[in-house]
Coordinates of all heavy atoms in Angstrom, one line a residue:
A1 N 7.9 16.8 -2.1 CA 8.2 15.5 -2.6 C 7.3 14.5 -1.9 O 6.8 14.7 -0.9 CB 9.7 15.2 -2.2
S2 N 7.1 13.3 -2.6 CA 6.4 12.3 -2.0 C 7.2 11.0 -1.9 O 8.1 10.8 -2.7 CB 5.0 12.1 -2.7 OG 5.3 11.6 -4.0
N3 N 6.9 10.2 -1.0 CA 7.6 8.9 -0.8 C 6.7 7.8 -1.3 O 5.9 7.2 -0.4 CB 7.9 8.7 0.7 CG 8.7 7.5 1.0 OD1 8.7 6.5 0.2 ND2 9.4 7.4 2.1
A4 N 6.7 7.5 -2.6 CA 5.8 6.6 -3.1 C 5.9 5.2 -2.6 O 4.9 4.5 -2.4 CB 6.0 6.5 -4.7
A5 N 7.1 4.7 -2.3 CA 7.3 3.4 -1.8 C 6.5 3.2 -0.4 O 5.8 2.3 -0.2 CB 8.7 3.1 -1.6
M6 N 6.7 4.2 0.5 CA 6.1 4.0 1.8 C 4.6 4.3 1.7 O 3.8 3.7 2.4 CB 6.7 5.1 2.8 CG 8.0 4.6 3.4 SD 8.0 3.0 4.1 CE 6.7 3.3 5.4
R7 N 4.2 5.2 0.8 CA 2.7 5.4 0.6 C 2.1 4.1 0.1 O 1.0 3.7 0.6 CB 2.4 6.5 -0.5 CG 2.7 7.9 0.0 CD 2.4 8.9 -1.1 NE 2.5 10.3 -0.7 CZ 1.7 11.2 -1.1 NH1 0.7 11.0 -1.9 NH2 2.0 12.5 -0.6
N8 N 2.7 3.4 -0.8 CA 2.2 2.2 -1.3 C 2.1 1.1 -0.2 O 1.2 0.4 0.0 CB 3.0 1.7 -2.5 CG 2.8 2.5 -3.7 OD1 1.7 3.2 -3.8 ND2 3.7 2.5 -4.6
A9 N 3.2 1.1 0.6 CA 3.4 0.0 1.6 C 2.3 0.2 2.7 O 1.8 -0.7 3.2 CB 4.7 0.2 2.3
L10 N 1.9 1.5 2.9 CA 0.9 1.7 4.0 C -0.5 2.0 3.4 O -1.4 2.3 4.2 CB 1.3 3.0 4.9 CG 2.6 2.8 5.6 CD1 3.0 4.1 6.3 CD2 2.5 1.7 6.6
K11 N -0.6 1.9 2.1 CA -1.8 2.2 1.3 C -2.4 3.5 1.7 O -3.6 3.7 2.0 CB -2.9 1.1 1.7 CG -2.4 -0.4 1.4 CD -3.5 -1.4 1.5 CE -3.0 -2.9 1.3 NZ -2.0 -3.0 0.4
Y12 N -1.5 4.5 1.6 CA -2.0 5.9 1.8 C -2.9 6.3 0.7 O -2.7 6.1 -0.5 CB -0.8 6.8 1.8 CG -1.1 8.3 1.8 CD1 -1.5 8.9 3.0 CD2 -1.3 9.0 0.6 CE1 -1.9 10.3 2.9 CE2 -1.6 10.4 0.6 CZ -2.0 11.0 1.7 OH -2.3 12.3 1.7
V13 N -4.0 7.1 1.1 CA -4.9 7.7 0.1 C -5.2 9.2 0.5 O -5.1 9.5 1.6 CB -6.3 7.0 0.0 CG1 -6.1 5.6 -0.7 CG2 -6.9 6.8 1.4
D14 N -5.5 10.0 -0.5 CA -5.8 11.4 -0.2 C -7.2 11.7 0.2 O -7.8 12.7 -0.2 CB -5.5 12.2 -1.5 CG -4.0 12.7 -1.6 OD1 -3.4 13.0 -0.6 OD2 -3.5 12.9 -2.7
Q15 N -7.8 10.8 0.9 CA -9.1 11.0 1.4 C -9.2 10.2 2.8 O -8.4 9.4 3.0 CB -10.2 10.4 0.4 CG -10.0 9.0 0.1 CD -10.8 8.6 -1.1 OE1 -11.0 9.3 -2.1 NE2 -11.4 7.3 -1.0
P16 N -10.2 10.7 3.6 CA -10.4 10.1 4.9 C -10.7 8.6 4.8 O -11.2 8.1 3.8 CB -11.5 10.8 5.5 CG -11.6 12.1 4.7 CD -11.2 11.8 3.4
G17 N -10.3 7.9 5.9 CA -10.6 6.5 6.0 C -11.9 6.3 6.7 O -12.7 7.2 6.9
P18 N -12.2 5.0 7.2 CA -13.5 4.7 7.8 C -13.5 5.5 9.2 O -12.6 5.8 9.8 CB -13.3 3.2 8.1 CG -11.9 2.9 7.9 CD -11.3 3.9 6.9
D19 N -14.8 5.7 9.6 CA -15.1 6.3 10.8 C -14.4 7.7 11.0 O -14.1 8.1 12.1 CB -14.6 5.4 12.0 CG -15.2 4.0 11.9 OD1 -16.4 3.9 11.6 OD2 -14.6 3.0 12.1
G20 N -14.3 8.4 9.9 CA -13.7 9.8 10.0 C -12.2 9.9 10.3 O -11.7 10.9 10.6
K21 N -11.6 8.7 10.3 CA -10.1 8.7 10.5 C -9.4 9.6 9.4 O -9.6 9.3 8.2 CB -9.6 7.3 10.6 CG -10.2 6.5 11.7 CD -9.8 5.0 11.6 CE -10.3 4.3 12.8 NZ -10.0 2.8 12.7
H22 N -8.5 10.4 9.8 CA -7.7 11.2 8.8 C -6.5 11.7 9.4 O -6.3 11.8 10.7 CB -8.6 12.2 8.1 CG -9.1 13.3 9.1 ND1 -10.1 13.1 10.0 CD2 -8.7 14.6 9.3 CE1 -10.3 14.2 10.7 NE2 -9.5 15.1 10.3
C23 N -5.5 12.1 8.6 CA -4.2 12.5 9.1 C -4.1 13.5 10.1 O -3.4 13.5 11.1 CB -3.3 12.9 7.9 SG -3.1 11.5 6.7
A24 N -5.0 14.5 10.0 CA -5.0 15.7 11.0 C -5.2 15.2 12.4 O -4.8 15.9 13.3 CB -6.0 16.8 10.6
I25 N -5.8 14.1 12.6 CA -6.0 13.6 14.0 C -5.3 12.4 14.3 O -5.5 11.6 15.2 CB -7.6 13.4 14.3 CG1 -8.2 12.4 13.3 CG2 -8.3 14.7 14.2 CD1 -9.5 11.8 13.7
C26 N -4.2 12.2 13.5 CA -3.3 11.0 13.7 C -2.0 11.5 14.4 O -1.5 12.5 14.1 CB -2.9 10.4 12.4 SG -1.7 9.1 12.4
I27 N -1.5 10.6 15.3 CA -0.3 11.1 16.1 C 0.9 11.2 15.2 O 1.9 11.8 15.6 CB 0.0 10.1 17.2 CG1 0.2 8.7 16.7 CG2 -1.1 10.1 18.3 CD1 0.8 7.7 17.8
Q28 N 0.9 10.5 14.1 CA 2.1 10.6 13.1 C 2.1 11.8 12.2 O 3.2 12.1 11.6 CB 2.1 9.4 12.2 CG 2.0 8.0 12.9 CD 3.4 7.6 13.5 OE1 4.3 8.4 13.7 NE2 3.5 6.3 13.8
F29 N 1.1 12.6 12.2 CA 1.0 13.7 11.2 C 1.9 14.9 11.7 O 1.9 15.2 12.9 CB -0.4 14.2 11.1 CG -0.6 15.2 10.0 CD1 -0.2 14.9 8.7 CD2 -1.3 16.4 10.2 CE1 -0.4 15.8 7.7 CE2 -1.5 17.3 9.2 CZ -1.1 17.0 7.9
V30 N 2.5 15.5 10.8 CA 3.4 16.7 11.1 C 2.7 17.9 10.2 O 2.9 17.9 9.1 CB 4.8 16.6 10.6 CG1 5.6 17.8 11.0 CG2 5.4 15.3 11.3
P31 N 1.9 18.7 10.9 CA 1.1 19.7 10.2 C 2.0 20.7 9.4 O 3.0 21.0 9.8 CB 0.3 20.4 11.3 CG 0.4 19.5 12.5 CD 1.7 18.7 12.4
G32 N 1.3 21.2 8.4 CA 1.9 22.4 7.6 C 1.7 23.7 8.3 O 1.2 23.6 9.5
A33 N 2.0 24.8 7.7 CA 1.8 26.1 8.3 C 0.4 26.4 8.8 O 0.2 27.0 9.8 CB 2.3 27.2 7.4
K34 N -0.6 26.0 7.9 CA -2.0 26.2 8.2 C -2.6 24.9 8.2 O -2.1 23.9 7.7 CB -2.6 27.0 7.0 CG -2.2 28.5 7.0 CD -2.8 29.2 5.8 CE -2.5 28.6 4.5 NZ -3.1 29.3 3.4
P35 N -3.7 24.8 9.0 CA -4.4 23.5 9.1 C -4.8 22.8 7.8 O -4.9 21.6 7.7 CB -5.7 23.8 10.0 CG -5.3 25.0 10.7 CD -4.4 25.9 9.8
T36 N -5.0 23.6 6.8 CA -5.4 23.0 5.5 C -4.2 22.7 4.6 O -4.4 22.1 3.6 CB -6.3 24.0 4.7 OG1 -5.7 25.3 4.7 CG2 -7.7 24.3 5.4
D37 N -3.0 23.1 5.0 CA -1.8 22.8 4.2 C -1.4 21.4 4.3 O -1.7 20.7 5.3 CB -0.6 23.7 4.7 CG -0.7 25.1 4.3 OD1 -1.6 25.5 3.5 OD2 0.0 25.9 4.9
K38 N -0.8 20.9 3.2 CA -0.2 19.6 3.3 C 1.0 19.6 4.3 O 1.5 20.6 4.6 CB 0.2 19.1 1.9 CG -0.9 18.9 1.0 CD -0.5 18.5 -0.4 CE -1.7 18.2 -1.3 NZ -1.3 17.8 -2.7
G39 N 1.2 18.4 4.8 CA 2.3 18.3 5.8 C 3.1 17.1 5.7 O 3.2 16.5 4.6
G40 N 3.7 16.6 6.7 CA 4.5 15.4 6.7 C 4.0 14.3 7.6 O 2.9 14.5 8.2
C41 N 4.6 13.2 7.6 CA 4.2 12.1 8.4 C 5.4 11.3 8.9 O 6.3 11.0 8.2 CB 3.3 11.2 7.6 SG 2.9 9.6 8.4
N42 N 5.4 11.0 10.2 CA 6.6 10.3 10.8 C 6.6 8.9 10.3 O 7.8 8.3 10.4 CB 6.5 10.4 12.3 CG 6.8 11.8 12.9 OD1 7.6 12.5 12.3 ND2 6.1 12.2 13.8
A43 N 5.6 8.4 9.8 CA 5.6 7.0 9.3 C 6.0 6.9 7.8 O 6.2 5.9 7.2 CB 4.2 6.3 9.5
I44 N 6.0 8.1 7.1 CA 6.3 8.2 5.7 C 7.4 9.2 5.5 O 7.2 10.4 5.1 CB 5.0 8.6 4.9 CG1 3.9 7.6 5.2 CG2 5.3 8.6 3.4 CD1 2.6 7.8 4.3
P45 N 8.7 8.8 5.8 CA 9.8 9.7 5.9 C 10.0 10.5 4.5 O 9.9 9.8 3.4 CB 11.0 8.9 6.2 CG 10.5 7.5 6.6 CD 9.1 7.5 6.1
G46 N 10.3 11.8 4.6 CA 10.7 12.5 3.4 C 9.5 13.0 2.5 O 9.7 13.7 1.6
D47 N 8.3 12.6 3.0 CA 7.1 13.0 2.2 C 6.6 14.3 2.8 O 6.3 14.4 4.0 CB 6.0 11.9 2.3 CG 5.0 12.0 1.2 OD1 4.5 13.1 0.9 OD2 4.7 11.0 0.5
T48 N 6.4 15.4 1.9 CA 6.0 16.7 2.4 C 4.6 17.1 1.8 O 4.2 18.2 1.9 CB 7.0 17.8 1.9 OG1 7.1 17.7 0.4 CG2 8.4 17.6 2.5
E49 N 4.0 16.1 1.3 CA 2.8 16.3 0.6 C 1.6 15.5 1.1 O 0.7 15.0 0.4 CB 2.8 16.1 -0.9 CG 3.9 17.0 -1.5 CD 4.2 16.7 -3.0 OE1 3.4 16.1 -3.7 OE2 5.3 17.1 -3.4
I50 N 1.6 15.2 2.4 CA 0.5 14.4 3.1 C -0.7 15.3 3.4 O -0.5 16.4 4.0 CB 1.1 13.8 4.4 CG1 2.3 12.9 4.2 CG2 -0.1 13.0 5.1 CD1 2.0 11.7 3.3
S51 N -1.8 14.9 2.9 CA -3.0 15.7 3.0 C -3.5 15.6 4.5 O -3.5 14.5 5.0 CB -4.1 15.3 2.1 OG -5.3 15.9 2.5
P52 N -3.9 16.7 5.1 CA -4.6 16.5 6.5 C -5.8 15.7 6.4 O -6.2 15.1 7.5 CB -4.9 18.0 6.9 CG -4.7 18.8 5.7 CD -3.9 18.1 4.7
N53 N -6.4 15.6 5.2 CA -7.6 14.7 5.0 C -7.2 13.4 4.5 O -8.2 12.7 4.0 CB -8.6 15.5 4.1 CG -9.2 16.6 4.8 OD1 -9.6 16.5 6.0 ND2 -9.2 17.7 4.1
G54 N -6.0 13.0 4.4 CA -5.6 11.7 3.9 C -5.8 10.6 5.0 O -6.3 10.8 6.1
Y55 N -5.3 9.4 4.7 CA -5.5 8.3 5.5 C -4.5 7.1 5.1 O -4.3 7.0 3.9 CB -6.9 7.7 5.5 CG -7.1 6.5 6.3 CD1 -7.1 6.5 7.7 CD2 -7.3 5.3 5.6 CE1 -7.3 5.3 8.4 CE2 -7.5 4.1 6.3 CZ -7.5 4.1 7.7 OH -7.6 3.0 8.4
C56 N -4.0 6.3 6.1 CA -3.3 5.2 5.7 C -3.4 4.1 6.8 O -4.0 4.4 7.8 CB -1.8 5.4 5.4 SG -0.8 5.4 6.9
G57 N -2.9 3.0 6.5 CA -3.0 1.8 7.4 C -2.3 2.0 8.7 O -2.4 1.2 9.7
A58 N -1.5 3.0 8.9 CA -0.7 3.3 10.1 C -1.4 4.3 11.0 O -0.8 4.7 12.0 CB 0.8 3.7 9.8
F59 N -2.6 4.6 10.7 CA -3.3 5.6 11.5 C -3.4 5.2 13.0 O -3.8 4.1 13.3 CB -4.7 5.8 10.9 CG -5.6 6.7 11.8 CD1 -5.6 8.0 11.5 CD2 -6.4 6.2 12.8 CE1 -6.4 8.9 12.3 CE2 -7.2 7.0 13.6 CZ -7.2 8.4 13.3
V60 N -3.1 6.2 13.8 CA -3.3 6.0 15.3 C -3.9 7.3 15.8 O -3.3 8.4 15.7 CB -2.1 5.7 16.1 CG1 -2.3 5.6 17.5 CG2 -1.4 4.4 15.6
Q61 N -5.1 7.3 16.3 CA -5.8 8.4 16.7 C -5.1 9.1 17.9 O -4.6 8.5 18.8 CB -7.2 8.0 17.3 CG -8.0 9.1 17.9 CD -9.1 9.7 17.1 OE1 -9.7 9.0 16.3 NE2 -9.3 11.0 17.3
K62 N -5.0 10.5 17.8 CA -4.4 11.3 18.9 C -5.3 11.2 20.1 O -6.6 11.1 19.9 CB -4.4 12.8 18.5 CG -3.3 13.2 17.5 CD -3.5 14.7 17.4 CE -2.6 15.2 16.2 NZ -2.9 16.7 15.9
K63 N -4.8 11.2 21.2 CA -5.6 11.2 22.4 C -6.2 12.6 22.7 O -5.6 13.6 22.4 CB -4.8 10.8 23.7 CG -4.1 9.4 23.5 CD -5.2 8.4 23.5 CE -4.6 6.9 23.5 NZ -5.5 5.9 23.2
Ligands
SF4_1 FE1 -1.8 10.0 7.8 FE2 -1.1 7.5 7.9 FE3 0.7 9.4 8.4 FE4 -1.3 8.9 10.1 S1 0.3 7.5 9.6 S2 -0.6 10.9 9.4 S3 -3.0 8.3 8.7 S4 -0.3 9.0 6.5

């Protein structure tokens, strides 16, 4: 399932953002079973189809 309202609010896209920013290196990302699988995001509740290569305005780089 996807959370269209929150995706729109955060301007989520299925491709990396500037400077190589992407979901797999964001503190909000909840990875799937494999690194290439879609996962979840703590900033986009209920969405199970977040791409590890996606990006949105709530990106915060993992330390
Ligand atoms: Fe991806 Fe945005 Fe969620 Fe970070 S906050 S994991 S960039 S959708």
Side-chain angles (χ1 to χ4, degrees):
S2 66
N3 180 342
M6 282 305 300
R7 284 183 178 217
N8 289 340
L10 297 176
K11 302 191 185 325
Y12 171 84
V13 289
D14 269 331
Q15 59 190 37
D19 304 320
K21 295 173 181 175
H22 62 286
C23 296
I25 58 167
C26 174
I27 60 169
Q28 304 283 21
F29 190 56
V30 182
K34 292 180 296 183
T36 52
D37 285 348
K38 292 180 175 177
C41 169
N42 290 322
I44 305 183
D47 202 310
T48 57
E49 299 173 21
I50 301 296
S51 170
N53 290 312
Y55 172 74
C56 87
F59 176 88
V60 177
Q61 172 103 34
K62 285 183 190 172
K63 298 298 184 191

